[in-house]
Amino acid sequence: MDTIIKNGLIVNAHESFKADVGIKNGIICCIGRDLNDGKARIVDAADKYVLPGGVEPHAHFSVPFFGTVSCDDYTSGTRAAAFGGVTTVLDFATQEKGRSLDETAKARIAMAQDKTYVDYSFHLIITDPSDDVLAEIPRMVSLGFPSIKVYMVYKKEGLMVDDAQMYRILKKTKSCGALLSVHTENPDIIDMFTDEFLAKGLTSAWYHYLSRPDFVAAEAGKRVIHWARSLKAPLYIVHVSDWETMAEIRKAQSDGYPIYAETCPQYLNFTDDVYKRPDAQRFICSPPMKGEDSRRALWAAVRDGSVSALGSDHCPFMAAEKDADKPFPLIPNGMMGIETRYSYILSEAIKGSLSLNRAVDIGSAGPAKLFGCRNKGSVEVGKDADIVILNPDKKYRVSQSESHSDVDHTVWEGYENYGTIEMTLCRGEVLVENGILKAEKGFGKLVRRYSSTP
Ligand code: URP
Ligand code: ZN
Ligand code: ZN
């Protein structure tokens, strides 16, 4: 064996037990008591948790958006991921209109190759679903990209697909075992409110929130769930932020449909109150944070398993861009979170808000399973040795000065995190140890993914 992690409490999505973990050639080769071969490097994890590396299902690196570009690239974004205990990142490859999916994927691979600290893949975002593009989807699934995403919003930004296009995409993803992710908001209602506010000179971040009342997300969510049900097509709703969408997803799940929910730490931790703060513009994201009723409903769904994955929706912009003296529709939408996502939910588990197993499920095992990362998401013999060692007794406060992304502020400033990640390993290599980066840029590999749907 190359490494043995001794005496820790292994926590997976469905069980926790004390054992040693043996690693050889990047793979977990054995799990048992008193492992020792006299040669392996010994890592003592007594009184610590031994967890699967986080799987981040939702990040936007170097994405052109609102006339600028999100400020983490594959290097800085995956560096922050590694410090946050994340060993696999799923980002997005957005189709330029007229471009094939194959070209879209190749361009993104070229951007990421040799640049990342952790393993990676991406979902393909379709913006121009021509017949040729739809016909490419089965091949992209077989090449290891079994997840497609579409936007029901960002009409003016040229990213949106209309209802008929989405229905056709759903039919296709269903037929070839791909999972369709959707950002659900109704763009026409948002644009109507936005125009009304701007005409009255109401331009602050509070009006970003008011231009997107809860029903804007819920109505679009209900529409796409309706189609997915009628086609029995698997559907993943990204960044669910409101109680009504969550209720519709629960209903579909209890009726036996493969409808999955992702939520994000920001919707579990903050409410619309943030849009009254002096730094409200830094919280401009879509969908915006909602009321306490939604926050509570999302927590209930996280606890009872109705939420399958926690995404960060990491899409950071520099403070000068977020704070610019401009009306809300010109402030780039998105916030940071890749470094805090897994730690946040583990911290909440240590505090008692949910079980540790649930935290591992939505932070790692759930997204690994849904998005076909077969060798990830579990501390188990035969899986990649993607492991986080967490000290549950050590607290810290999140601060920008201790963060590893290229963004120059954090909306999580001051959050008291219970538990500290002391080591992140990916395929048996130590990426981060006691706050020191050990990995080489370029260590991360493209993950060939498999269809997870029937
Ligand atoms: O405001 C957000 N969420 N920005 C990132 C893009 C998206 O909609 O996920
Ligand atoms: Zn979105
Ligand atoms: Zn997003």
Side-chain angles (χ1 to χ4, degrees):
M1 286 178 278
D2 307 319
T3 306
I4 303 174
I5 302 172
K6 291 194 75 70
N7 307 317
L9 179 73
I10 297 174
V11 183
N12 279 325
H14 300 293
E15 57 182 355
S16 311
F17 55 96
K18 266 198 157 175
D20 301 344
V21 181
I23 300 169
K24 190 167 174 57
N25 296 332
I27 309 284
I28 299 173
C29 61
C30 53
I31 294 182
R33 292 287 177 144
D34 303 320
L35 298 185
N36 207 340
D37 67 359
K39 287 183 289 194
R41 172 190 180 186
I42 303 292
V43 177
D44 183 17
D47 303 321
K48 316 248 167 97
Y49 298 153
V50 177
L51 315 166
V55 177
E56 164 66 85
H58 189 155
H60 302 268
F61 296 147
S62 301
V63 66
F65 209 32
F66 287 77
T68 176
V69 177
S70 61
C71 64
D72 271 325
D73 61 13
Y74 278 98
T75 299
S76 61
T78 59
R79 182 179 64 217
F83 278 93
V86 174
T87 48
T88 307
V89 174
L90 304 181
D91 157 68
F92 298 95
T94 308
Q95 180 205 14
E96 277 172 31
K97 289 194 194 303
R99 218 176 195 193
S100 71
L101 295 183
D102 191 44
E103 288 170 308
T104 303
K106 283 187 176 139
R108 205 70 189 169
I109 291 170
M111 272 177 83
Q113 214 162 31
D114 306 324
K115 304 276 193 326
T116 76
Y117 288 100
V118 307
D119 289 349
Y120 63 93
S121 178
F122 31 78
H123 314 284
L124 298 165
I125 297 182
I126 296 184
T127 61
D128 183 12
S130 63
D131 290 348
D132 287 348
V133 165
L134 290 185
E136 272 192 285
I137 295 177
R139 184 164 164 269
M140 297 316 293
V141 173
S142 67
L143 288 175
F145 299 100
S147 52
I148 302 290
K149 180 178 177 188
V150 292
Y151 288 109
M152 291 173 89
V153 279
Y154 304 134
K155 191 175 187 176
K156 290 180 176 159
E157 289 78 7
L159 294 169
M160 184 193 106
V161 294
D162 67 27
D163 291 0
Q165 290 171 326
M166 178 140 55
Y167 190 84
R168 291 185 76 213
I169 295 170
L170 252 178
K171 250 166 77 177
K172 195 70 184 181
T173 51
K174 153 86 183 163
S175 73
C176 64
L179 178 58
L180 185 68
S181 294
V182 188
H183 173 145
T184 62
E185 286 186 299
N186 182 316
D188 295 327
I189 303 290
I190 294 168
D191 288 347
M192 176 203 75
F193 279 120
T194 302
D195 292 346
E196 278 179 17
F197 291 138
L198 294 183
K200 292 180 191 156
L202 303 171
T203 59
S204 74
W206 179 245
Y207 294 95
H208 169 74
Y209 165 64
L210 288 187
S211 69
R212 299 170 119 98
D214 292 19
F215 70 82
V216 158
E219 180 275 333
K222 286 181 181 179
R223 223 177 329 139
V224 65
I225 290 171
H226 188 92
W227 300 328
R229 286 177 68 126
S230 74
L231 291 165
K232 297 193 173 57
L235 180 72
Y236 177 91
I237 303 200
V238 298
H239 50 46
V240 176
S241 63
D242 68 286
W243 67 266
E244 202 177 345
T245 304
M246 202 57 241
E248 197 70 11
I249 294 171
R250 272 176 187 285
K251 187 167 179 307
Q253 289 174 347
S254 69
D255 291 344
Y257 292 92
I259 313 282
Y260 307 102
E262 170 198 275
T263 192
C264 311
Q266 51 271 35
Y267 304 117
L268 296 172
N269 198 63
F270 301 111
T271 65
D272 49 22
D273 280 348
V274 294
Y275 299 108
K276 298 174 189 155
R277 286 169 41 158
D279 59 350
Q281 284 193 189
R282 296 195 177 178
F283 291 86
I284 288 186
C285 64
S286 294
M289 273 61 83
K290 305 285 176 17
E292 183 60 17
D293 48 352
S294 286
R295 199 180 75 88
R296 282 176 193 271
L298 293 172
W299 262 114
V302 160
R303 286 189 196 101
D304 72 13
S306 314
V307 164
S308 301
L310 188 74
S312 68
D313 196 6
H314 183 77
C315 189
F317 297 95
M318 299 302 265
E321 295 173 307
K322 294 298 282 187
D323 297 346
D325 185 16
K326 290 179 180 170
F328 69 86
L330 300 178
I331 304 299
N333 284 205
M335 305 191 306
M336 64 295 301
I338 202 162
E339 191 163 352
T340 43
R341 176 200 71 114
Y342 199 29
S343 324
Y344 168 78
I345 204 68
L346 294 167
S347 164
E348 288 299 318
I350 292 168
K351 284 195 236 170
S353 309
L354 74 166
S355 74
L356 265 174
N357 304 95
R358 275 301 296 143
V360 165
D361 198 1
I362 61 173
S364 176
K369 187 164 172 221
L370 278 175
F371 293 114
C373 306
R374 270 192 195 159
N375 299 324
K376 311 289 189 187
S378 180
V379 179
E380 194 181 322
V381 172
K383 299 273 184 189
D384 286 352
D386 294 357
I387 292 175
V388 163
I389 301 180
L390 181 122
N391 181 343
D393 300 318
K394 218 164 140 188
K395 295 182 202 169
Y396 65 95
R397 284 202 184 269
V398 174
S399 80
Q400 166 55 28
S401 59
E402 300 289 320
S403 300
H404 301 87
S405 146
D406 272 354
V407 70
D408 57 358
H409 66 284
T410 171
V411 297
W412 292 94
E413 190 74 42
Y415 172 79
E416 187 175 35
N417 205 101
Y418 280 53
T420 295
I421 291 172
E422 295 190 339
M423 194 181 277
T424 307
L425 298 101
C426 182
R427 286 179 280 110
E429 287 294 315
V430 177
L431 302 183
V432 174
E433 185 172 4
N434 294 323
I436 313 275
L437 184 65
K438 301 274 171 132
E440 295 287 323
K441 176 173 119 180
F443 172 79
K445 282 201 174 122
L446 176 66
V447 179
R448 178 183 154 79
R449 296 183 289 121
Y450 298 85
S451 165
S452 66
T453 69

